[in-house]
Amino acid sequence: MTSRLLSTFAVALLCAPLAASAQGLFGQNTASHNTHGMPAQCDNARFLADQQGLEQSGPTGIDLPEHLCGQVLAVSPRAKRTRSGWHGYFYLSVGQGVSIRIVSDLDQMNAPQWPWVSKGDRVEVQGRYYYDSLRRQGVDWTHHGTGRKWPWLGYVVVNGTRYQ
């Protein structure tokens, strides 16, 4: 009887992570993010909830569609070359004292010479939220292209001018 109880307990422990992952991130059904897709309007509250959930659970390897609005807090004055091309970076205040790094793939965007955003600008961003760690997170895929694993078009609107 004791060994049977231990076996049942062991199976329950092994299945617990599977049950949790089936529930999706943060107690939500993962399919609902994919079904609802990209928010039609800025939804900083959703982003803050997603960010908080990822900070509690840790990296999941799942990227989330986000549509954000806010004010630019800081801008990297020079574009940086990475293995995937030239990128511009700025930090966007999304409320509740939270800011997030925005990554713009300058090779993919129809935009003027970097920087085309300045501290204090009002910005709207649609892109992919990635969370690798507390210090390595941001919103990228802010350009017009899609990919095999990313179906949403991204863009950045700066003071009413749209760059994609």
Side-chain angles (χ1 to χ4, degrees):
M1 179 70 158
T2 304
S3 67
R4 187 172 182 188
L5 183 60
L6 286 175
S7 297
T8 304
F9 183 68
V11 169
L13 283 177
L14 290 173
C15 291
L18 295 174
S21 67
Q23 278 294 311
L25 296 173
F26 333 126
Q28 297 174 353
N29 183 344
T30 306
S32 70
H33 262 302
N34 295 333
T35 303
H36 296 340
M38 185 69 71
Q41 299 176 0
C42 292
D43 193 346
N44 290 4
R46 173 176 146 171
F47 168 75
L48 291 168
D50 288 345
Q51 183 184 50
Q52 184 178 26
L54 286 169
E55 286 175 359
Q56 291 174 359
S57 71
T60 61
I62 296 174
D63 299 321
L64 302 172
E66 301 290 351
H67 193 153
L68 307 169
C69 292
Q71 188 170 16
V72 175
L73 296 176
V75 178
S76 178
R78 293 193 333 238
K80 296 179 185 172
R81 180 141 181 84
T82 70
R83 61 189 163 112
S84 60
W86 286 98
H87 293 82
Y89 304 90
F90 64 94
Y91 285 86
L92 183 67
S93 171
V94 292
Q96 299 181 14
V98 175
S99 65
I100 189 68
R101 181 183 191 190
I102 307 297
V103 182
S104 297
D105 185 339
L106 302 176
D107 293 331
Q108 298 292 324
M109 295 185 83
N110 182 18
Q113 186 74 24
W114 183 260
W116 36 260
V117 63
S118 301
K119 183 178 177 179
D121 284 344
R122 294 290 306 161
V123 175
E124 176 183 350
V125 175
Q126 183 167 293
R128 176 180 72 173
Y129 175 47
Y130 64 90
Y131 183 92
D132 298 333
S133 72
L134 186 60
R135 294 184 179 259
R136 291 184 47 104
Q137 59 179 305
V139 176
D140 64 2
W141 217 280
T142 58
H143 57 279
H144 65 278
T146 60
R148 196 174 68 233
K149 295 182 179 180
W150 192 253
W152 294 284
L153 299 174
Y155 59 84
V156 178
V157 177
V158 181
N159 298 324
T161 302
R162 184 176 177 128
Y163 302 108
Q164 55 185 25

